[in-house]
Amino acid sequence: MTEPVTQSAGRLTVFLVDDHAMFRAGVRAELGRHVEVVGEASTVAEAINRIGTIQPDVVLLDVHMPDGGGRAVLEAIRRTHPQVKFLALSVSDAAEDVIGLIRAGARGYVTKTISPDELAAAVRRVSDGDAVFSPRLAGFVLDAFASRPDVPVADPELDQLTNREREVLRLLARGYAYKEIAKELYISIKTVETHVSNVLRKLQMSNRYELSRWAADRRLV
């Protein structure tokens, strides 16, 4: 068995999983003042391999990545290294994403609007065994586990969409322009247009106003 990386002077060890290099660099720079960032990965396969080798205390995990969701990383590592704790860090604040990651075993879920100091505190709390959520997200979890503890969140129409299409849809429904969506998700405007066209086709809708109503009905906004 591979031995985990030893902490330096008792500092927490943290591993970053996100497909955006600039975002990882920013988090590493900010968190490095509080914890020891021992590695990072941009794909599901790379994350599974490196986390299994390093065995950090906490993994900061993006929910949506091009080659699969963060949930795949979480489930794979929990089977082999159950002591590793996961804190989701995502642009998405959709109920189905939050509930899905928590059901898979994440100890918390915060959005990327969190401040550096708050993120450092959240990492420490997760390492100590606490559950941590951005304020409005805690209600999703409480509702899901209190009223329907054994029923998975499923929506056949929503399941047609890729993770990236859901992110684009969510921002579009909030009134973001294509240029703003592109900036938020680190993709090109042309790619945004392609995702919107795909969503309209899959859901058999004709304009963004229909999409906004559809997203609002499912609490995606």
Side-chain angles (χ1 to χ4, degrees):
M1 176 181 290
T2 305
E3 290 297 321
V5 171
T6 302
Q7 292 187 23
S8 300
R11 298 186 82 196
L12 288 177
T13 55
V14 176
F15 190 95
L16 309 178
V17 181
D18 194 288
D19 59 314
H20 297 124
M22 287 191 297
F23 181 77
R24 293 198 311 272
V27 173
R28 177 185 282 273
E30 294 291 346
L31 271 188
R33 298 183 293 113
H34 305 278
V35 301
E36 184 175 0
V37 180
V38 293
E40 58 185 65
S42 61
T43 67
V44 170
E46 180 185 16
I48 292 172
N49 180 59
R50 298 205 65 206
I51 293 169
T53 299
I54 296 172
Q55 298 179 46
D57 295 312
V58 178
V59 175
L60 280 178
L61 182 70
D62 192 14
V63 178
H64 300 309
M65 293 183 288
D67 63 337
R71 182 169 180 169
V73 177
L74 195 160
E75 291 176 339
I77 295 300
R78 278 179 61 81
R79 285 194 295 268
T80 55
H81 304 290
Q83 80 282 3
V84 176
K85 297 181 175 69
F86 286 81
L87 173 61
L89 175 63
S90 177
V91 69
S92 171
D93 59 2
E96 76 274 7
D97 287 335
V98 178
I99 296 165
L101 263 291
I102 299 305
R103 282 200 167 122
R107 294 295 305 171
Y109 194 117
V110 295
T111 62
K112 289 182 177 179
T113 57
I114 193 171
S115 72
D117 288 342
E118 290 173 333
L119 180 58
V123 167
R124 290 195 175 279
R125 288 180 59 192
V126 165
S127 176
D128 290 339
D130 291 341
V132 181
F133 300 94
S134 291
R136 72 181 296 264
L137 306 186
F140 296 155
V141 179
L142 291 174
D143 290 346
F145 285 87
S147 60
R148 304 178 68 195
D150 300 318
V151 180
V153 176
D155 185 326
E157 287 187 300
L158 188 62
D159 289 345
Q160 298 179 73
L161 308 181
T162 66
N163 292 329
R164 183 62 85 191
E165 287 167 354
R166 295 185 194 189
E167 289 183 327
V168 170
L169 170 61
R170 188 171 298 115
L171 295 174
L172 190 72
R174 290 177 179 173
Y176 281 56
Y178 285 6
K179 182 178 181 180
E180 293 171 323
I181 295 173
K183 182 178 180 181
E184 181 77 14
L185 300 180
Y186 301 92
I187 57 179
S188 70
I189 295 176
K190 181 65 175 177
T191 300
V192 173
E193 293 173 346
T194 299
H195 285 315
V196 173
S197 295
N198 289 340
V199 172
L200 287 168
R201 174 178 52 79
K202 290 179 180 180
L203 299 180
Q204 298 182 356
M205 295 181 186
S206 58
N207 57 61
R208 66 180 296 167
Y209 304 105
E210 291 181 353
L211 287 178
S212 295
R213 288 196 298 271
W214 186 89
D217 288 343
R218 284 159 175 77
R219 298 177 65 186
L220 299 181
V221 182

